[in-house]
């Protein structure tokens, strides 16, 4: 009886030890598999980066996951992940297009393919040349992959307004399927399909696991990429059609206005950027951007919009100390606030926008009677654009914004007695507000 009990206990103990050994072995095998995958990814990335240095196609890191890991990751994560954690398949890099010649780019592509790696190149039109009706294809994105890992390379170009521009490419169904097979998912795909704008940053040389790579000093601009980087181009074809239909005012008076308006907008941008107050082109200035890719010469002022939540009293003092005195203040901060500043004979109007559940609005006050009006707009997001060599924001849903402000005949050149463009779509507010 005792022998039988001892034998049973011994068997149970042996089974427990065996189970623990199997569990440990499984974890060791999983760890080894992960480490092998991580090491293979590191070898692949290292080869691509070495070839980029060899052929003078400098690549720098723009991957938001890597930057977030650097800023918030644990020591183990930083130690074990290198460029990619085992669960990741995609690494995002960028290069500055004009830094390497076409010959160098071709040599780099040929060297990548000689290594047996799969390379896809997506191209698009150069938007700067499109302004002059010249369609010149430029590389926008490269996708380099082996069996386990994929590197996505965005090609950045410097625009006349001194920022980096990256063109979006929306793949066809087959390309989309191929990218999905490579492990590219929503956030990764947006970094390929969205046109984006970035402030230029300093790039310096670094090493990750002895692999040489370039890294931006100001990593924060890529932390939330692709959010807050959306870019829309002015429709130069539409602008040419408008000028063909209505002509373009080339008088001395019009040219002087355009020059003064540009200087005023540029000055306001500098001051608001220093205060970290985001703004966008609004009213007649936004209409000029969308319809004509420039200022409307008979509008006689510059209009911008700011969310009321971003208002700070320092705007008034900062503008005043830089020779932009406040001339009018309408409404209250809690309701229908509007400010007007004067630059000699030029006026800058700042319209403050209020957010409701289903729409946004800004208020207007009739100077002669004191009557208030409420201008209602569908909700919108903000995108970057290049307006006369200035990097500024406009509503992403620009046409809807324009129609809400000027009605369905926004494309027609309408002048009123005062020379001012008058909004058409509004609802009257109670005078007591």
């Amino acid at each position: 009886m005792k022998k039988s009990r001892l034998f049973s206990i011994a068997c149970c103990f042996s089974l427990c030890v065996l189970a623990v050994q199997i569990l440990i072995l499984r974890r060791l095998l999983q760890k080894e598999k992960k480490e092998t995958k991580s090491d293979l990814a590191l070898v692949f990335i290292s080869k691509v980066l070495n070839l980029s240095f060899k052929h003078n196609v400098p690549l720098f890191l723009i991957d938001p996951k890597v930057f977030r890991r650097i800023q918030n990751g644990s020591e183990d994560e930083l130690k074990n992940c290198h460029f990619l954690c085992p669960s990741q398949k995609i690494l995002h890099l960028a290069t500055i297009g004009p830094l390497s010649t076409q010959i160098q780019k071709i040599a780099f592509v040929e060297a990548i393919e000689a290594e047996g790696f799969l390379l896809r190149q997506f191209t698009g039109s150069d938007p700067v040349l499109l302004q002059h009706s010249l369609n010149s294809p430029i590389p926008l994105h490269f996708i380099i992959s082996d069996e386990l890992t994929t590197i996505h390379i965005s090609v950045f170009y410097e625009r006349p307004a001194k920022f980096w521009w990256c063109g979006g490419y929306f793949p066809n169904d087959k390309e989309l399927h191929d990218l999905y097979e490579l492990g590219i998912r929503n956030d990764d795909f947006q970094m390929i399909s969205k046109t984006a704008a970035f402030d230029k940053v300093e790039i310096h040389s670094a090493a990750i696991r002895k692999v040489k790579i370039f890294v931006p000093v100001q990593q924060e601009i890529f932390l939330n990429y692709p959010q807050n980087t959306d870019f829309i181009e002015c429709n130069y074809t539409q602008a040419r059609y408008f000028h063909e239909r209505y002509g373009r005012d080339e008088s001395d008076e019009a040219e002087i206005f355009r020059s003064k308006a540009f200087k005023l907008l540029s000055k306001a941008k500098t001051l608001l950027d220093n205060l970290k107050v985001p703004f966008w082109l609004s009213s007649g200035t936004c209409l000029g951007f969308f319809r004509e890719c420039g200022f409307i010469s008979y509008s006689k002022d510059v209009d911008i919009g700011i969310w009321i939540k971003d208002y700070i009293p320092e705007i008034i003092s900062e503008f005043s100390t830089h020779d932009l005195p406040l001339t009018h203040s309408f409404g209250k901060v809690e309701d229908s606030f509007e400010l007007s500043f004067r630059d000699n004979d030029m006026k800058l109007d700042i319209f403050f926008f209020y957010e409701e559940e289903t729409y946004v609005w800004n208020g207007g006050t009739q100077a002669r009677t004191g009557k208030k009006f409420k201008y209602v707009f569908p909700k919108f997001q903000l995108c970057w654009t290049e307006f006369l060599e200035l990097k500024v924001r406009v509503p992403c849903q620009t046409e809807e914004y324009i129609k809400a402000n000027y009605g369905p005949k926004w494309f027609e050149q309408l002048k009123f007695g005062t020379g001012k463009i008058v909004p058409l779509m509004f609802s009257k507010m109670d005078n007591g507000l």
Side-chain angles (χ1 to χ4, degrees), residues 161-172:
K162 306 301 179 187
F163 64 92
W164 285 337
W165 172 91
C166 175
Y169 180 88
F170 202 92
N172 59 37

Side-chain angles (χ1 to χ4, degrees), residues 208-222:
I208 300 177
R209 281 291 298 272
K210 298 183 179 180
V211 178
K212 188 179 178 184
I213 188 171
F214 289 103
V215 176
V217 176
Q218 300 89 345
Q219 299 172 8
E220 60 274 7
I221 74 165
F222 296 106

Side-chain angles (χ1 to χ4, degrees), residues 58-309:
L59 302 177
F60 61 95
L61 195 61
I62 62 167
D63 198 305
K65 292 188 181 72
V66 177
F67 291 136
R68 285 197 288 268
R69 196 157 57 239
I70 290 171
Q71 294 211 357
N72 307 314
S74 65
E75 287 188 20
D76 287 341
E77 210 175 18
L78 293 173
K79 181 180 177 182
N80 297 325
C81 284
H82 316 315
F83 285 97
L84 296 175
C85 288
S87 60
Q88 292 174 247
K89 291 186 67 176
I90 315 297
L91 179 67
H92 297 280
L93 305 175
T95 186
I96 308 297
L99 288 185
S100 51
T101 65
Q102 186 64 17
I103 293 174
Q104 289 168 332
K105 288 189 183 75
I106 292 172
F108 171 64
V109 167
E110 290 176 347
I112 290 292
E113 292 174 335
E115 285 285 341
F117 302 143
L118 182 62
L119 184 140
R120 295 173 176 83
Q121 182 177 182
F122 299 142
T123 61
S125 298
D126 184 337
V128 177
L129 293 179
L130 275 179
Q131 298 177 31
H132 308 286
S133 303
L134 298 173
N135 192 351
S136 176
I138 54 173
L140 301 177
H141 300 273
F142 294 97
I143 306 291
I144 304 170
S145 58
D146 67 356
E147 294 84 358
L148 297 172
T149 311
T150 297
I151 292 176
H152 160 232
I153 302 172
S154 295
V155 185
F156 288 2
Y157 296 89
E158 184 174 336
R159 295 289 292 253
K162 306 301 179 187
F163 64 92
W164 285 337
W165 172 91
C166 175
Y169 180 88
F170 202 92
N172 59 37
D173 289 344
K174 182 182 183 309
E175 292 168 336
L176 199 59
H177 177 267
D178 291 343
L179 294 177
Y180 187 85
E181 289 294 308
L182 294 175
I184 291 177
R185 297 299 183 261
N186 186 48
D187 286 347
D188 305 304
F189 174 69
Q190 288 187 50
M191 295 175 73
I192 299 170
S193 62
K194 281 190 172 184
T195 301
F198 306 90
D199 290 334
K200 290 172 61 179
V201 296
E202 184 182 348
I203 306 293
H204 69 86
S205 180
I208 300 177
R209 281 291 298 272
K210 298 183 179 180
V211 178
K212 188 179 178 184
I213 188 171
F214 289 103
V215 176
V217 176
Q218 300 89 345
Q219 299 172 8
E220 60 274 7
I221 74 165
F222 296 106
L223 273 176
N224 297 313
Y225 182 34
Q227 281 74 37
N228 304 318
T229 61
D230 288 9
F231 180 94
I232 57 176
E233 199 78 49
C234 185
N235 190 333
Y236 298 102
T237 302
Q238 179 172 271
R240 278 193 294 273
Y241 174 71
F242 179 84
H243 290 134
E244 287 170 2
R245 182 174 177 180
Y246 293 106
R248 175 180 164 87
D249 189 349
E250 304 286 359
S251 67
D252 291 343
E253 182 182 8
E255 292 301 321
I256 290 171
F257 166 77
R258 293 187 186 106
S259 176
K260 289 181 177 180
F262 175 82
K263 289 176 182 176
L264 177 55
L265 179 60
S266 180
K267 189 174 185 178
K269 169 181 165 57
T270 299
L271 297 177
L272 291 171
D273 286 352
N274 289 340
L275 293 171
K276 300 189 184 308
V277 175
F279 73 94
W280 64 90
L281 304 185
S282 189
S283 299
T285 305
C286 187
L287 176 62
F289 155 78
F290 187 66
R291 191 177 70 182
E292 306 172 37
C293 295
F295 289 105
I296 299 173
S297 60
Y298 56 83
S299 62
K300 305 304 180 187
D301 57 14
V302 174
D303 305 308
I304 62 175
I306 295 176
W307 296 117
I308 194 63
K309 63 183 174 61

Side-chain angles (χ1 to χ4, degrees), residues 21 24 43 65 88 108 124 151 164 180 284 383 415 422 430:
Q21 288 176 335
I24 292 172
V43 170
K65 292 188 181 72
Q88 292 174 247
F108 171 64
I151 292 176
W164 285 337
Y180 187 85
C383 286
K415 291 185 183 181
V422 179
D430 293 336

Side-chain angles (χ1 to χ4, degrees), residues 47-62:
K47 284 184 178 179
V48 173
L49 289 171
N50 287 337
L51 289 173
S52 76
F53 279 102
K54 180 179 179 181
H55 296 286
N56 295 309
V57 182
L59 302 177
F60 61 95
L61 195 61
I62 62 167

